[in-house]
Amino acid sequence: MISANNVSLRFGKKALFEEVNIKFTEGNCYGLIGANGAGKSTFLKLLSGELETTTGDVTITPGQRLSVLEQDHFKYDAYTVMDTVIMGNPRLYEVMKEKDAIYAKEDFTDEDGIRASELEAEFAEMDGWEAESNAANLLNGLGIETAIHYSLMSDLTGNEKVKILLAKALFGNPDILLLDEPTNHLDLDAIAWLEEFLINFDNTVIVVSHDRYFLNKVCTHTADIDYGKIQLYAGNYDFWYESSQLLIKQMKEANKKKEEKIKELQEFISRFSANASKSKQATSRKKALEKIELDTIKPSSRKYPYIDFRPEREIGNEVLSVEGISKTINGEKILDNISFILGHDDKVAFVGGNEIAKTTLFKILTGEMEPDEGTYKWGVTTSQAYFPKDNTKEFDNDLTIADWLMGYSPVKDITYVRGFLGRMLFAGEDGVKKVRVLSGGEKVRCLLSKMMISAANCLILDEPTNHLDMESITALNNGLIKFSGVALFSCHDHQFVQTTANRIMEILPNGTMIDKITTYDEYLESDEMARKRTIYSVNKNEDNE
């Protein structure tokens, strides 16, 4: 068990948390939610001891081991993948290294023999002989192939490092597991594996995530941070939302009844206070009136942007025709003979672990990259707006937000432009902020403003939910559901894909593609997915032998 007891945290005069009391018990998974800036990651740092509380303390049941998902992707570059994962249990790793050092000695003494015997006993007690096998199972589950389990971390990609640091956090059955955005940069297969792992995990988990489906799947409880307090709810994210809305509704209804009672009492007092025969009753009602207190209903600190894509022109029957597109990058065939035709009602989710392939196809379809082979043709009634995965070039300038968006606006009027910025929560002085200094989430909201102001009827979005908070993801999700045009997108948010897409395209590791008109959940259960998993499982095993 881990608990916060009267915990407060202040930065100067600003209080982020005030007298927080909460217990996280064994066998439960707690989703820690709240608006951007509410302090979710900071609270995890308080629990882990990385930050000190201003007042109060954090206590952990004696003897229990706490494990944290680390965010520094370069910290373990000098180590192998396997060593990095096993470091998730620091004591086991220390024993392994000390034991190896003793056995490597040329002048092995009696004292060394005694020490080695002690270490062997401790090693066996910690299930050390199964350590590499257990680490390999975690890595394989997250999609890290056996061939690189003994490679140096410095030789791997950023996405691979994310998975390895997650495996490190999960390793060795920790008693308390703190996970800050564990699904970031994971493909949907890896997220599904992590969901099953956490569902079957018997100890305490506290997780911060913007993935609503993930929270609904794994969480037994929800801890909501709002205005420096943490309110605990039994149930997952959807249960929290329904419960919190019900609570507000009940408080409003209770206040309404109280207001009616106040009005009734005030009318009686006003009418009979001067009447001698009714004076006692009037006095009694004055006392009753003084005792009535309305419930204080604080508005939530959450802010939802308003995302509404309105095409200027209705799309025709001919939308997009793709024929035989192939592309090789650095000697590897990323796309192999990709062909499809889009209809005017299609909203297509590109799924699977081949991230480079999806981005490459989007770049080809938007004219940023040429295919090696094949052609594509957009219909004459179409207009496209593109959300790139890497937006660095977009914001490599010294323009203000307002001037930046004005450059893309068909109407050169600052009031018109500020209207779009206002919808995306850029109010007042925000418009004069330089785009170069914006946070990741602010840049995403700028790009979505650009897409809205374009009035395009075909949207191409490459991982648009990265860097967004849950409120913005919900708003974008709803905006795309309502959108009357065509959408092509990639996204790691299961609920986003399931509720938006009516067609699924998966680019496989060999560059070919599966194309199905179906929902995402139906696709996951389909025969094609089962066959694909079997084929690639066999191929991987053959490659590893």
Side-chain angles (χ1 to χ4, degrees):
M1 183 183 77
I2 183 170
S3 61
N5 312 299
N6 294 314
V7 164
S8 298
L9 180 67
R10 298 187 185 90
F11 297 105
K13 293 182 179 179
K14 182 185 177 184
L16 191 57
F17 297 108
E18 285 284 7
E19 297 182 354
V20 170
N21 289 282
I22 189 168
K23 289 181 181 179
F24 302 99
T25 57
E26 187 177 351
N28 292 317
C29 179
Y30 299 85
L32 191 61
I33 64 171
N36 263 10
K40 300 183 292 294
S41 296
T42 302
F43 190 69
L44 286 189
K45 289 177 181 177
L46 288 173
L47 294 178
S48 69
E50 186 179 340
L51 282 178
E52 290 187 9
T53 62
T54 305
T55 63
D57 58 74
V58 173
T59 59
I60 297 175
T61 302
Q64 291 200 335
R65 183 169 68 86
L66 182 145
S67 184
V68 178
L69 173 58
E70 296 179 83
Q71 307 294 326
D72 184 352
H73 299 166
F74 304 100
K75 184 176 178 179
Y76 299 96
D77 276 0
Y79 298 91
T80 66
V81 170
M82 185 59 67
D83 275 356
T84 300
V85 176
I86 295 175
M87 282 183 202
N89 187 335
R91 181 55 192 160
L92 175 60
Y93 185 74
E94 288 170 11
V95 169
M96 284 178 63
K97 290 304 168 185
E98 186 180 351
K99 190 162 63 78
D100 291 346
I102 290 174
Y103 290 138
K105 284 185 175 183
E106 292 183 6
D107 52 342
F108 192 85
T109 66
D110 290 342
E111 288 78 8
D112 289 333
I114 293 169
R115 181 57 181 159
S117 177
E118 293 170 348
L119 291 171
E120 289 290 6
E122 188 176 357
F123 185 71
E125 190 178 327
M126 290 188 289
D127 203 20
W129 296 111
E130 301 297 324
E132 292 196 9
S133 173
N134 292 337
N137 287 337
L138 291 172
L139 290 167
N140 290 334
L142 289 166
I144 300 296
E145 295 184 9
T146 306
I148 63 171
H149 285 189
Y150 293 89
S151 300
L152 281 175
M153 289 285 284
S154 57
D155 295 334
L156 306 185
T157 66
N159 282 358
E160 287 169 335
K161 288 180 179 180
V162 167
K163 292 180 176 181
I164 292 158
L165 289 178
L166 179 55
K168 175 181 179 291
L170 303 177
F171 177 76
N173 196 36
D175 300 290
I176 301 161
L177 187 54
L178 306 183
L179 301 175
D180 192 357
E181 297 293 354
T183 61
N184 276 5
H185 308 293
L186 293 189
D187 56 75
L188 288 163
D189 285 341
I191 293 173
W193 178 90
L194 179 60
E195 287 167 359
E196 290 304 312
F197 180 93
L198 294 179
I199 288 168
N200 295 310
F201 189 72
D202 292 330
N203 299 331
T204 305
V205 182
I206 306 170
V207 58
V208 171
S209 177
H210 291 146
D211 188 326
R212 298 157 294 170
Y213 181 90
F214 178 78
L215 291 176
N216 280 329
K217 196 86 185 279
V218 305
C219 291
T220 60
H221 293 72
T222 302
D224 178 32
I225 302 178
D226 214 351
Y227 291 105
K229 302 290 185 183
I230 302 182
Q231 180 73 38
L232 188 62
Y233 296 80
N236 61 16
Y237 178 79
D238 280 351
F239 183 84
W240 160 79
Y241 183 79
E242 291 169 9
S243 298
S244 59
Q245 295 303 303
L246 179 60
L247 182 61
I248 292 170
K249 182 181 178 183
Q250 288 172 340
M251 290 172 71
K252 286 181 177 178
E253 288 175 352
N255 274 355
K256 186 178 179 182
K257 289 179 181 178
K258 288 177 183 178
E259 286 167 353
E260 290 172 355
K261 185 66 176 176
I262 288 169
K263 185 179 179 182
E264 179 188 320
L265 292 172
Q266 285 174 336
E267 287 177 352
F268 186 92
I269 293 165
S270 174
R271 188 175 174 187
F272 296 111
S273 58
N275 187 321
S277 64
K278 298 277 189 178
S279 62
K280 274 191 177 182
Q281 294 178 43
T283 302
S284 174
R285 279 166 173 73
K286 279 182 183 178
K287 289 179 181 178
L289 182 60
E290 290 169 0
K291 290 178 181 178
I292 298 176
E293 291 184 9
L294 296 177
D295 292 322
T296 302
I297 304 175
K298 258 190 173 180
S300 173
S301 58
R302 292 174 171 82
K303 294 181 180 179
Y304 290 82
Y306 178 68
I307 298 178
D308 186 19
F309 302 106
R310 296 186 182 181
E312 185 177 39
R313 182 178 184 180
E314 188 175 342
I315 203 164
N317 289 325
E318 293 184 4
V319 180
L320 173 65
S321 176
V322 175
E323 293 184 15
I325 283 183
S326 295
K327 184 71 178 178
T328 298
I329 297 177
N330 296 328
E332 182 181 353
K333 199 154 197 177
I334 302 298
L335 302 171
D336 186 7
N337 195 30
I338 302 296
S339 299
F340 60 88
I341 296 173
L342 288 189
H344 57 75
D345 294 321
D346 281 342
K347 290 180 180 174
V348 186
F350 287 79
V351 301
N354 203 338
E355 304 292 326
I356 296 173
K358 289 180 279 189
T359 296
T360 300
L361 180 60
F362 289 160
K363 284 184 176 180
I364 289 172
L365 297 180
T366 55
E368 287 195 11
M369 187 181 285
E370 290 293 326
D372 297 335
E373 300 173 31
T375 60
Y376 68 93
K377 183 180 179 183
W378 288 98
V380 293
T381 62
T382 66
S383 55
Q384 300 84 41
Y386 176 43
F387 181 103
K389 189 173 186 176
D390 181 2
N391 57 43
T392 307
K393 291 181 182 178
E394 287 273 5
F395 301 102
D396 188 18
N397 58 72
D398 292 314
L399 294 173
T400 65
I401 296 176
D403 288 341
W404 177 86
L405 188 58
M406 180 75 82
Y408 298 105
S409 175
V411 179
K412 303 302 179 183
D413 177 76
I414 192 63
T415 304
Y416 179 78
V417 169
R418 284 187 179 275
F420 283 89
L421 291 175
R423 294 179 191 175
M424 298 305 294
L425 308 180
F426 293 109
E429 294 300 312
D430 286 341
V432 299
K433 284 174 72 173
K434 297 289 181 72
V435 294
R436 191 187 296 278
V437 300
L438 297 179
S439 68
E442 288 173 325
K443 287 177 180 177
V444 170
R445 286 189 276 123
C446 278
L447 288 172
L448 293 174
S449 299
K450 174 188 170 184
M451 296 187 85
M452 285 193 289
I453 212 167
S454 74
N457 54 24
C458 293
L459 305 180
I460 303 173
L461 304 102
D462 194 359
E463 300 295 347
T465 60
N466 288 356
H467 306 294
L468 287 183
D469 58 21
M470 204 174 297
E471 292 71 41
S472 297
I473 291 172
T474 301
L476 176 57
N477 195 173
N478 292 337
L480 278 180
I481 290 171
K482 292 188 299 181
F483 177 55
S484 61
V486 167
L488 297 84
F489 66 93
S490 63
C491 180
H492 291 161
D493 186 305
H494 185 119
Q495 186 168 336
F496 192 100
V497 175
Q498 169 61 19
T499 56
T500 304
N502 55 23
R503 185 172 177 181
I504 303 295
M505 295 187 187
E506 179 173 8
I507 302 174
L508 302 176
N510 63 2
T512 61
M513 191 174 76
I514 296 173
D515 179 6
K516 296 288 289 183
I517 298 175
T518 183
T519 66
Y520 183 57
D521 283 346
E522 289 169 344
Y523 177 70
L524 290 178
E525 296 170 2
S526 67
D527 292 339
E528 283 81 1
M529 271 297 282
R531 281 200 296 272
K532 183 206 79 169
R533 284 175 174 154
T534 301
I535 290 167
Y536 283 97
S537 175
V538 169
N539 288 345
K540 280 185 180 182
N541 290 335
E542 289 175 351
D543 292 341
N544 294 333
E545 285 176 359

